[in-house]
PDB file of all heavy atoms in Angstrom:
ATOM      1  N   GLY A 146     216.918 127.606 150.156  1.00 95.00           N
ATOM      2  CA  GLY A 146     218.034 128.477 149.838  1.00 95.00           C
ATOM      3  C   GLY A 146     217.912 129.909 150.315  1.00 95.00           C
ATOM      4  O   GLY A 146     218.725 130.757 149.941  1.00 95.00           O
ATOM      5  N   TRP A 147     216.920 130.225 151.148  1.00 96.00           N
ATOM      6  CA  TRP A 147     216.808 131.594 151.651  1.00 96.00           C
ATOM      7  C   TRP A 147     217.464 131.744 153.013  1.00 96.00           C
ATOM      8  O   TRP A 147     217.684 130.774 153.735  1.00 96.00           O
ATOM      9  CB  TRP A 147     215.351 132.062 151.717  1.00 96.00           C
ATOM     10  CG  TRP A 147     214.392 131.180 152.461  1.00 96.00           C
ATOM     11  CD1 TRP A 147     213.512 130.295 151.929  1.00 96.00           C
ATOM     12  CD2 TRP A 147     214.206 131.115 153.886  1.00 96.00           C
ATOM     13  NE1 TRP A 147     212.790 129.673 152.916  1.00 96.00           N
ATOM     14  CE2 TRP A 147     213.194 130.160 154.131  1.00 96.00           C
ATOM     15  CE3 TRP A 147     214.793 131.759 154.972  1.00 96.00           C
ATOM     16  CZ2 TRP A 147     212.757 129.844 155.415  1.00 96.00           C
ATOM     17  CZ3 TRP A 147     214.364 131.445 156.260  1.00 96.00           C
ATOM     18  CH2 TRP A 147     213.353 130.499 156.465  1.00 96.00           C
ATOM     19  N   MET A 148     217.772 133.002 153.361  1.00 97.00           N
ATOM     20  CA  MET A 148     218.328 133.329 154.659  1.00 97.00           C
ATOM     21  C   MET A 148     217.585 134.536 155.212  1.00 97.00           C
ATOM     22  O   MET A 148     217.109 135.393 154.451  1.00 97.00           O
ATOM     23  CB  MET A 148     219.822 133.640 154.562  1.00 97.00           C
ATOM     24  CG  MET A 148     220.486 133.930 155.910  1.00 97.00           C
ATOM     25  SD  MET A 148     222.265 134.303 155.769  1.00 97.00           S
ATOM     26  CE  MET A 148     222.170 135.965 155.069  1.00 97.00           C
ATOM     27  N   VAL A 150     217.687 137.554 158.375  1.00 96.00           N
ATOM     28  CA  VAL A 150     218.301 138.241 159.509  1.00 96.00           C
ATOM     29  C   VAL A 150     217.198 139.018 160.211  1.00 96.00           C
ATOM     30  O   VAL A 150     216.446 139.770 159.573  1.00 96.00           O
ATOM     31  CB  VAL A 150     219.417 139.195 159.054  1.00 96.00           C
ATOM     32  CG1 VAL A 150     219.993 139.951 160.248  1.00 96.00           C
ATOM     33  CG2 VAL A 150     220.516 138.423 158.340  1.00 96.00           C
ATOM     34  N   ILE A 173     215.294 141.141 157.322  1.00 97.00           N
ATOM     35  CA  ILE A 173     215.821 141.242 155.961  1.00 97.00           C
ATOM     36  C   ILE A 173     215.904 139.825 155.407  1.00 97.00           C
ATOM     37  O   ILE A 173     216.564 138.957 155.987  1.00 97.00           O
ATOM     38  CB  ILE A 173     217.199 141.918 155.918  1.00 97.00           C
ATOM     39  CG1 ILE A 173     217.147 143.302 156.564  1.00 97.00           C
ATOM     40  CG2 ILE A 173     217.680 142.035 154.468  1.00 97.00           C
ATOM     41  CD1 ILE A 173     218.486 144.006 156.614  1.00 97.00           C
ATOM     42  N   TYR A 174     215.220 139.606 154.313  1.00 97.00           N
ATOM     43  CA  TYR A 174     215.096 138.296 153.680  1.00 97.00           C
ATOM     44  C   TYR A 174     215.997 138.259 152.444  1.00 97.00           C
ATOM     45  O   TYR A 174     215.927 139.147 151.583  1.00 97.00           O
ATOM     46  CB  TYR A 174     213.636 138.089 153.299  1.00 97.00           C
ATOM     47  CG  TYR A 174     213.325 136.897 152.448  1.00 97.00           C
ATOM     48  CD1 TYR A 174     213.168 135.639 153.004  1.00 97.00           C
ATOM     49  CD2 TYR A 174     213.135 137.039 151.071  1.00 97.00           C
ATOM     50  CE1 TYR A 174     212.849 134.548 152.211  1.00 97.00           C
ATOM     51  CE2 TYR A 174     212.812 135.963 150.274  1.00 97.00           C
ATOM     52  CZ  TYR A 174     212.670 134.711 150.854  1.00 97.00           C
ATOM     53  OH  TYR A 174     212.352 133.633 150.068  1.00 97.00           O
ATOM     54  N   PHE A 175     216.856 137.249 152.354  1.00 97.00           N
ATOM     55  CA  PHE A 175     217.801 137.118 151.253  1.00 97.00           C
ATOM     56  C   PHE A 175     217.487 135.852 150.454  1.00 97.00           C
ATOM     57  O   PHE A 175     217.354 134.766 151.021  1.00 97.00           O
ATOM     58  CB  PHE A 175     219.235 137.012 151.779  1.00 97.00           C
ATOM     59  CG  PHE A 175     219.696 138.197 152.573  1.00 97.00           C
ATOM     60  CD1 PHE A 175     219.483 138.249 153.941  1.00 97.00           C
ATOM     61  CD2 PHE A 175     220.358 139.248 151.955  1.00 97.00           C
ATOM     62  CE1 PHE A 175     219.916 139.335 154.692  1.00 97.00           C
ATOM     63  CE2 PHE A 175     220.797 140.342 152.696  1.00 97.00           C
ATOM     64  CZ  PHE A 175     220.571 140.378 154.066  1.00 97.00           C
ATOM     65  N   MET A 176     217.395 136.032 149.133  1.00 96.00           N
ATOM     66  CA  MET A 176     217.220 134.876 148.251  1.00 96.00           C
ATOM     67  C   MET A 176     217.562 135.274 146.822  1.00 96.00           C
ATOM     68  O   MET A 176     217.173 136.360 146.361  1.00 96.00           O
ATOM     69  CB  MET A 176     215.782 134.340 148.309  1.00 96.00           C
ATOM     70  CG  MET A 176     215.579 133.044 147.536  1.00 96.00           C
ATOM     71  SD  MET A 176     213.950 132.307 147.841  1.00 96.00           S
ATOM     72  CE  MET A 176     214.075 130.802 146.872  1.00 96.00           C
ATOM     73  N   GLN A 179     218.943 138.668 145.965  1.00 96.00           N
ATOM     74  CA  GLN A 179     218.056 139.794 146.221  1.00 96.00           C
ATOM     75  C   GLN A 179     217.709 139.832 147.705  1.00 96.00           C
ATOM     76  O   GLN A 179     217.763 138.816 148.398  1.00 96.00           O
ATOM     77  CB  GLN A 179     216.776 139.681 145.390  1.00 96.00           C
ATOM     78  CG  GLN A 179     217.006 139.741 143.893  1.00 96.00           C
ATOM     79  CD  GLN A 179     215.703 139.712 143.110  1.00 96.00           C
ATOM     80  OE1 GLN A 179     214.633 139.510 143.669  1.00 96.00           O
ATOM     81  NE2 GLN A 179     215.797 139.912 141.804  1.00 96.00           N
ATOM     82  N   GLN A 180     217.372 141.027 148.195  1.00 97.00           N
ATOM     83  CA  GLN A 180     216.972 141.140 149.582  1.00 97.00           C
ATOM     84  C   GLN A 180     215.701 141.978 149.694  1.00 97.00           C
ATOM     85  O   GLN A 180     215.450 142.881 148.901  1.00 97.00           O
ATOM     86  CB  GLN A 180     218.080 141.743 150.434  1.00 97.00           C
ATOM     87  CG  GLN A 180     218.413 143.186 150.138  1.00 97.00           C
ATOM     88  CD  GLN A 180     219.538 143.681 151.034  1.00 97.00           C
ATOM     89  OE1 GLN A 180     220.629 143.097 151.071  1.00 97.00           O
ATOM     90  NE2 GLN A 180     219.292 144.763 151.756  1.00 97.00           N
TER      91      GLN A 180
END
Side-chain angles (χ1 to χ4, degrees):
W147 53 260
M148 183 180 74
V150 177
I173 304 177
Y174 171 82
F175 299 89
M176 187 171 183
Q179 297 184 352
Q180 67 181 56

